[in-house]
Amino acid sequence: MVRIEKQGAVWTIIHSRFAEARNAMDPDSADALVAAFREFDADDSASVAVLWGEGGAFCAGWDLKFASTLADRDAFQRHVVDGLAFPTGANPAPLGPSRMELSKPVIAAVEGPAVAGGMELAMWCDVRVMAESAYFGVYCRRWGIPLIDGGTVRLARLVGQGRAMEIILTGRKVPADEALRIGMCEQVVESGGARAAAEAMAREIARFPQAAVRADRRSVVETYGLPVREALRQEWTNGVEAHFKEGADGAARFAGGKGRHGDFAKI
């Protein structure tokens, strides 16, 4: 259902439920994804994760067969209202890790559909690499299921409120070329190549000193929407310890290599 393939500091977390449900998410697979990402975040040898759906579909959203069992109010209360409640802290959500706040970057490798909750899962990732035949869409619109895994929050932050509202309310298909143009993804590659491209990007990120990578990532996430002065203070707080841990050594390596001034040495 969920497995991890490791290539040094790059971990590819694979959701494999294609044959039965095009990688739609049921409670067991959601729990397995949460466990995989907890393991990744806690392991000092891991730097960057790639999330990939095996079989040609990233994720077709919440498993509607499971959702159909929740018509009974008691079952809905038990599995959704109570089971997936939102207390303080990053507890699991219907799609698994979409409320988790990791300390390390995650790249979505999107082939085929990433729709409804699958789109929300891709939005949770830090970067999205899409195959040219892949697509997003709020397909749950037609079934009366709202976005409850961060879609209304993260999509507007990526593409702006008006464009997000149109995509959310119409439930239409958003193909890869449009996603790239409007900022829903960061790279489009040939069909079948999303995983390889995402892993290549992950290796590029993983080769850098990681304290600074994580500090800068944390600052981007934590300062969104803050007043400028408060955001600058948060950036300083996140960065100053990383600078002490890695900056002096990095500058010494640069000086030892007799490079030119500033940050323009070959990286």
Side-chain angles (χ1 to χ4, degrees):
M1 185 180 300
V2 173
R3 69 181 189 276
I4 302 172
E5 295 184 3
K6 304 176 184 179
Q7 303 174 49
V10 174
W11 288 24
T12 299
I13 296 174
I14 300 169
H15 184 209
S16 184
R17 198 170 176 255
F18 180 83
E20 56 186 300
R22 301 195 82 190
N23 291 328
M25 198 72 63
D26 67 353
D28 289 341
S29 52
D31 289 346
L33 271 183
V34 168
F37 277 109
R38 281 178 175 159
E39 181 182 350
F40 160 72
D41 209 43
D43 193 307
D44 291 339
S45 70
S47 297
V48 186
V50 171
L51 176 59
W52 179 65
E54 190 169 42
F58 181 75
C59 177
W62 204 23
D63 189 330
L64 293 179
K65 291 181 179 178
F66 172 73
S68 70
T69 68
L70 302 177
D72 176 75
R73 181 68 203 190
D74 289 340
F76 185 81
Q77 183 74 30
R78 183 171 62 256
H79 289 289
V80 178
V81 178
D82 296 334
L84 299 171
F86 206 107
T88 302
N91 55 309
L95 269 289
S98 62
R99 294 179 191 162
M100 294 179 75
E101 299 173 18
L102 303 186
S103 64
K104 305 171 185 176
V106 180
I107 302 171
V110 183
E111 296 278 353
V115 296
M119 186 192 79
E120 295 181 281
L121 195 56
M123 298 299 103
W124 169 75
C125 297
D126 296 287
V127 178
R128 288 145 293 281
V129 176
M130 295 182 74
E132 59 189 1
S133 57
Y135 56 93
F136 293 129
V138 184
Y139 282 23
C140 52
R141 178 61 56 236
R142 64 200 69 181
W143 310 120
I145 297 176
L147 298 173
I148 54 175
D149 277 271
T152 64
V153 177
R154 296 187 177 106
L155 182 57
R157 293 185 177 195
L158 288 172
V159 306
Q161 181 171 315
R163 197 181 297 273
M165 195 72 79
E166 181 266 330
I167 290 169
I168 290 168
L169 297 184
T170 65
R172 68 174 178 85
K173 180 179 182 179
V174 182
D177 59 344
E178 180 184 359
L180 180 64
R181 187 173 69 251
I182 67 176
M184 283 182 78
C185 78
E186 288 67 50
Q187 186 178 358
V188 173
V189 299
E190 65 181 12
S191 294
R195 176 181 175 179
E199 289 174 341
M201 184 186 295
R203 288 192 293 272
E204 282 293 300
I205 297 169
R207 72 189 180 96
F208 294 121
Q210 289 299 296
V213 166
R214 293 170 196 170
D216 287 347
R217 174 188 175 274
R218 188 163 61 250
S219 291
V220 171
V221 173
E222 292 179 349
T223 62
Y224 187 92
L226 294 179
V228 171
R229 188 166 184 81
E230 187 176 344
L232 290 172
R233 184 180 293 111
Q234 187 64 43
E235 179 191 59
W236 169 263
T237 299
N238 289 337
V240 68
E241 185 63 23
H243 194 294
F244 175 76
K245 288 180 178 178
E246 295 178 342
D249 287 344
R253 290 197 304 273
F254 175 82
K258 298 180 180 179
R260 294 190 173 189
H261 299 297
D263 294 326
F264 300 102
K266 183 179 178 181
I267 61 172

